[in-house]
Amino acid sequence: MSDGSERPPLIELSGIGKTFGGVTALSNVDFVLREGEVHGLVGENGAGKSTLMKILTGVYARDGGTILIDGEDVHFTTPRDAEAQGIAMIFQEFSLIPTLTVAQNIFLGHEPRTFRNAIIRDHDMVRRARDLLDELGENIDPRARVEDLSVGARQMVEIVKALSKKARIIVMDEPTASLSESEVDKLFALVERLKASGISIVYISHRMAEIYRICDRITAMRDGRDTLTAATTDVKMEDLIRAMLGAESTAALNWVPRDVDLAAAPVLEVEGLCVAGSVADVSFSLRPGEIVGLAGLTGAGRTEIVEAIFGIRPVASGEIRIGGTRVTTTRQAIDAGAALVPEDRRTQGLVLDQSLQDNIILPNLVRFSRGIFVREDAARAASLRHIRDLKIKTDGPGKEVRLLSGGNQQKIVLSKWLERAPKLLILDEPTIGVDIGAKADLVQKVREIADAGTAVLVISSEFEELLAMSDRLLIVFNGTLIGDMNRQDVHSEEVLHHAVQG
Amino acid sequence: MQSKVEPIFPRHQLNLAGIPWRENIVYICFAGVLVFFALTIGDKGFLTVSNLFNIARTTAMIAVISVAMTFIISSGELDLSVGSTAALAALVSALAIQAGFGFVGGVVAGLLCGLVVGIVNGFFVTVVSIPSFLVTLGMMQLVRGIDMRITYTNPVPVRNGVFSAIFGPGSIGVVPTLFIWALCVAIIGHVVLRYTPFGRQVLATGGNRVAARYSGVRTGRTKVICFLITGVGAALAGMLWTGMMGTARYNFGEGAELAAIAAVILGGTSLFGGKGTIVGTFVGALLIGTINNGLIIMGLDVSEQMMVAGAIIVLAVAFGKKPVR
C-alpha cells in the first residue's frame, strides 16, 4: 500500500455544514479525496457519513462550505450534476430494477440510440455491457434479468453501471453488508483494479477488518464532525475506534467465560431436522442461560435452520421441541417461549411506517389488552422502559421507526421480544449495519438476558462478535452440522475461519 | 426497495402555522366545500336542515361501505366487489322476506351473502395467492351477473313494517335512521381499528406482512377477516339501500366501490396498507356526498357532476400526498 499523500487532491470538501429542520447533521467537515486512492469513511450511524456523501453526490444541498473538484468550485443541485462530474454512489439498497436485464440496467437513461434518438440499439447496448463486464473480469450475462442474479453479482452490475457513466469517483456505502466471503474477495479484487486505473473510491463500512484491508487513508466521523484523517498504516485500530466513539469503551466485545448449568433440561431440542434443499439431518440442543453461536459461510444453511425452528420454513422431516413442547408453526414457537430477531430487520423485523410503541407491542397484543381493547398506557410505559434499558435514541415511543438509525431499529426488534421474557432467543445477524456503540449495547444486553436464564442462539458472519458472545459454537457446512466446539477451545478467529470451510 | 431514509421530517414541510395540513386534508377540504356551497348556494336551500340531513341519508350507504373498505385497504388489499355484493344482499334479503321468512330471516339471508362473497375473496387471495385486485374485479363481475340473473333484473319490493322502520328513510327525532346506521358502523369501526389487537394486526399486516408474520400474526387469517368485514359491510349497505327505496334492485351499488375507495384515500388511509383512519374515511364519504349534493343544487347535470367530483378527488389526494423525495 503506497502512501496516498503524494497524490494530488481530486476533491476537496471544506467547512461543510448541513442542518435538517434545526438538527445539525454536519458542522465544518473537511474531507479530501486524492486521485486513485481508496478512502475509508467510518463512524457510528448518525455520525454524518451518509449525509456528507449525499452532499458530494448532489442528493442534498449543503448549507455552508465549499467543494472543489480539480481545484474548481462546484455547486451541485441535483444528482445529475454530480454524475456529470464523474461522481457515482452505490447505495446499500441497490438501485437496480430487478425485472430489467443487466444491460438494460447498466444503460438505463443513457442507452445507445439511433434514428434521431428514437430507437434503442439493443445489440449495441448488450455488446457494450459485455465489454464492460469482461473488462472487469466478471462472468455475468448482460441479457440475464437482475432478479435472477446473486447479491454479489448485482453489486458488480451496479459498479459497471457507474463505470458506464465514466465515473472517476465511486462512493460505496456498506458494499459488503450482504455479500458472502467469496463475493467480498471478488469485490476487493475489483476495487484494486479500479484503483489501478486511476479511479478514486470512498469506502463506507462498519467492518474494521475491511477498512484496514483495502483503504489507503481513513477518515473517522463523530457527531457530524470529522475527528481523524490519516494514512491507514499510521493509525491503530484502537485509535480509530476511539475517534469514532469518543470516550466510550468497547470492553463489551471481549469474551467473558460464563457458567452454564449442564444438568438443566434443554430449552431447545432439534432432532434430525431436514429442510428441503438446504438443511440435512441437523440435531442439537440448548440449555437455559447458554449462548450458542451458529457459525458458517453464507448459504451454509444457518438462516434456514433458525427459520425452521421458528416455524417460518416448512420442515421436511425431524422434530423441534421448545421447552419440551413440539412446535411446527410460528404461533406455537412463540407460545412455547421462542423469539426471533430476523436477519433483515427492515423487511422482517419491523413495520417501518409504524411507531416504536406499535412495533414493540405487536407480538404482545394479548398481554397489552384488557377485554377487547389495547391498553395504550401500559404499552407506552413498557416502551419507555425499553427506551431507557436499551438506550434507544428517539424522541419518544410515538416515533416512526423508519426515522431511526439501524442500531436503534435493531434495539426495537430486540425490545419487542424481550417484552415476552422469552425462554429461547434467536438472533440472526443481529449487528449488520449497526454501529460499534450500539453493537456493544446489544452484546451486553444479550449477556444479561442469558444470565437471567434465557437460551440464546446467535448467527453472525462477524466471527469476532460470535467469539465475544458464545459459550459454545456449532459449525454449519453445506446444510449439515460438522462441529460443536466449546468457546475456550477456540483460541482465535483463525480457528473458526478454518472450521467453517468444511 | 426504498432508499435509506434520513431523518429530515418531510411531513413537516407543509406545516404552516403549526398545523400539519397534509394529514388533515380531508377536514380542510370538507370545511372548504361547506363554506363554498354555503356562500354560493346557501340561498337555494343548501343550508337547510332538511337538505343537510338529506346529504347524510344519501351518503349513509357509501359511508358504511367505506368504513369496511378502510379495513381491507389497511391490510394491504382491495375489495372491488362491494357494490355488486350490496345489490346481491339487497335482492336476497328482499326475496327472503317476500317468501315469508320475515324480517330476521331476510336480514340473516342478506348478511350471509356478504359472508359468502367475503370467504370466496379471502380464499383466493390468501390460499391461492391471487392479487386481491384481480380476485375482486372478477367477483365484482360475477356477483353483478348473479344480481341480474336471480330476478331477471326485475325489482323486488319489500313490504315489511319492521324492515322499513329499521332500514327505511325515516328518522329518529330529526336524525335520519340511515345516518344513525352509518354513524354506529363508523364508531364501531373506529374503535376496532384503533383500540383492539385485531386493529393492530390489520395495520401490521398491511404495513409489513413479513414482519407481522415473524411477530406471530396470522396474516392470512387477518386478511380473510377483513374480506368478511367488507362483505358484511356491503351487505348491510345493500339492505339500507332497499330500505331507503322500498325496493331491491340489481343495480344497487354500481360505482360504490370507487366512491368508497376515494373516500378512504381522501380520509388519509394509505392505498398501500399499514395506515388507516376511520374518522378520516367517514368525513371523506361525507365530503363526496356533499359535493354531489351541492352540484345538483347548483344545477349541474350528471355529466358535469361526474367531471367536477372526479377532479376534486384527484386534486385533494394530490395535495394530501407526501412529497416525493
Side-chain angles (χ1 to χ4, degrees), chain A residues 20-63:
Chain A
F20 292 115
V23 180
T24 304
L26 295 176
S27 64
N28 200 19
V29 175
D30 298 336
F31 182 81
V32 177
L33 183 65
R34 296 178 195 280
E35 216 172 286
E37 77 168 346
V38 179
H39 195 135
L41 186 57
V42 298
E44 291 193 86
N45 286 330
K49 302 172 309 236
S50 294
T51 310
L52 185 67
M53 288 303 114
K54 283 181 179 170
I55 286 173
L56 176 63
T57 52
V59 178
Y60 294 154
R62 63 184 186 266
D63 296 342

Side-chain angles (χ1 to χ4, degrees), chain B residues 161-184:
Chain B
V162 184
F163 192 93
S164 334
I166 292 182
F167 294 124
S171 301
I172 296 175
V174 289
V175 188
T177 322
L178 292 172
F179 186 66
I180 292 174
W181 271 108
L183 207 57
C184 289

Side-chain angles (χ1 to χ4, degrees), chain A residues 63-97:
Chain A
D63 296 342
T66 55
I67 300 180
L68 301 180
I69 296 186
D70 299 326
E72 276 180 47
D73 202 359
V74 293
H75 284 271
F76 298 147
T77 49
T78 69
R80 261 184 189 275
D81 297 343
E83 214 175 273
Q85 289 282 351
I87 303 174
M89 182 150 178
I90 290 160
F91 288 96
Q92 281 172 347
E93 289 92 9
F94 305 138
S95 58
L96 300 176
I97 297 168

Side-chain angles (χ1 to χ4, degrees), chain B residues 20 27 44-45 107 129 132 178 182 192 198 266 278 303 305 323:
Chain B
Y27 310 109
K44 291 186 188 164
V107 171
S129 297
S132 57
L178 292 172
V192 172
F198 171 72
L266 273 174
I278 299 285
S303 60
Q305 284 171 36

Side-chain angles (χ1 to χ4, degrees), chain B:
Chain B
M1 228 182 236
Q2 282 166 318
S3 65
K4 189 172 178 177
V5 178
E6 293 282 317
I8 57 164
F9 318 120
R11 50 182 50 208
H12 286 219
Q13 284 170 6
L14 202 77
N15 191 349
L16 307 173
I19 300 167
W21 298 100
R22 232 177 260 294
E23 284 164 31
N24 296 307
I25 186 71
V26 71
Y27 310 109
I28 295 159
C29 270
F30 188 53
V33 163
L34 280 181
V35 169
F36 175 76
F37 284 142
L39 291 177
T40 52
I41 51 173
D43 54 345
K44 291 186 188 164
F46 175 78
L47 276 182
T48 60
V49 172
S50 75
N51 184 56
L52 293 180
F53 278 132
N54 190 32
I55 294 175
R57 188 179 291 122
T58 50
T59 310
M61 283 67 72
I62 294 295
V64 168
I65 291 177
S66 302
V67 168
M69 188 73 89
T70 308
F71 279 87
I72 196 77
I73 291 181
S74 295
S75 80
E77 302 292 344
L78 203 58
D79 189 348
L80 298 173
S81 66
V82 285
S84 16
T85 306
L88 181 67
L91 289 166
V92 169
S93 61
L95 287 169
I97 289 170
Q98 211 173 48
F101 288 99
F103 168 74
V104 174
V107 171
V108 168
L111 294 179
L112 273 178
C113 293
L115 286 175
V116 169
V117 176
I119 283 173
V120 173
N121 283 334
F123 173 79
F124 281 101
V125 171
T126 59
V127 181
V128 191
S129 297
I130 303 175
S132 57
F133 180 86
L134 295 175
V135 172
T136 61
L137 184 71
M139 284 299 282
M140 173 172 103
Q141 292 273 74
L142 190 152
V143 174
R144 186 67 73 187
I146 297 172
D147 297 344
M148 296 169 80
R149 171 53 68 84
I150 45 180
T151 63
Y152 296 95
T153 73
N154 290 316
V156 185
V158 174
R159 295 189 191 81
N160 179 303
V162 184
F163 192 93
S164 334
I166 292 182
F167 294 124
S171 301
I172 296 175
V174 289
V175 188
T177 322
L178 292 172
F179 186 66
I180 292 174
W181 271 108
L183 207 57
C184 289
V185 168
I187 291 168
I188 295 169
H190 176 70
V191 169
V192 172
L193 187 61
R194 181 75 185 74
Y195 297 106
T196 67
F198 171 72
R200 295 306 159 89
Q201 291 172 346
V202 169
L203 292 171
T205 300
N208 184 344
R209 195 172 61 84
V210 176
R213 202 159 60 92
Y214 274 67
S215 301
V217 175
R218 282 175 279 198
T219 55
R221 201 185 71 138
T222 305
K223 285 185 178 184
V224 170
I225 295 175
C226 287
F227 277 113
L228 294 179
I229 290 175
T230 46
V232 169
L236 175 61
M239 291 185 285
L240 293 174
W241 258 308
T242 308
M244 185 170 80
M245 302 294 192
T247 302
R249 290 179 199 277
Y250 77 95
N251 62 350
F252 278 172
E254 272 180 349
E257 59 287 330
L258 299 181
I261 291 168
V264 171
I265 303 305
L266 273 174
T269 295
S270 164
L271 186 53
F272 307 106
K275 278 183 181 172
T277 148
I278 299 285
V279 180
T281 293
F282 192 69
V283 177
L286 288 179
L287 172 62
I288 290 175
T290 307
I291 291 171
N292 287 336
N293 175 277
L295 296 179
I296 292 169
I297 296 180
M298 286 177 101
L300 273 62
D301 71 23
V302 177
S303 60
E304 292 162 335
Q305 284 171 36
M306 287 176 79
M307 288 189 275
V308 175
I312 290 176
I313 290 169
V314 172
L315 290 176
V317 173
F319 188 61
K321 189 173 170 293
K322 269 201 212 176
V324 180
R325 295 201 326 116

